């Protein structure tokens, strides 16, 4: 179970890193809106999963 939580935290950090990566002045500059969207979705989805798992742990359910 601890590895799952660490994986979720690493995914959230990857989402933040994807938001901060500078793509201007590169050939990938056109993909910046897509990478921002993917980063935001990763942060939101994995944060919701962590909150769900925490709530289930508090309620005593697996």
């Amino acid at each position: 179970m601890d590895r799952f939580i660490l994986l979720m935290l690493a995914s959230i950090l990857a989402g933040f890193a994807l938001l901060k990566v500078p793509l201007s002045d590169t050939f990938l500059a056109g993909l910046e809106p897509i990478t921002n969207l993917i980063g935001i979705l990763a942060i939101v989805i994995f944060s919701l999963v962590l909150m769900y798992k925490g709530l289930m742990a508090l309620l005593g359910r697996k």
Side-chain angles (χ1 to χ4, degrees):
M1 184 63 167
D2 293 329
R3 298 187 100 188
F4 179 75
I5 292 173
L6 289 176
L7 179 63
M8 294 295 116
L9 289 174
S11 301
I12 293 170
L13 287 176
F16 278 113
L18 197 54
L19 284 178
K20 291 294 186 179
V21 69
L23 293 178
S24 58
D25 299 331
T26 66
F27 68 95
L28 297 173
L31 296 177
E32 190 167 7
I34 296 170
T35 59
N36 285 340
L37 179 67
I38 293 171
I40 290 169
L41 285 175
I43 294 167
V44 170
I45 290 170
F46 292 118
S47 295
L48 288 173
V49 169
L50 275 179
M51 286 189 274
Y52 175 76
K53 288 291 189 181
L55 183 63
M56 289 298 113
L58 285 174
L59 295 175
R61 298 183 181 116
K62 289 188 180 188

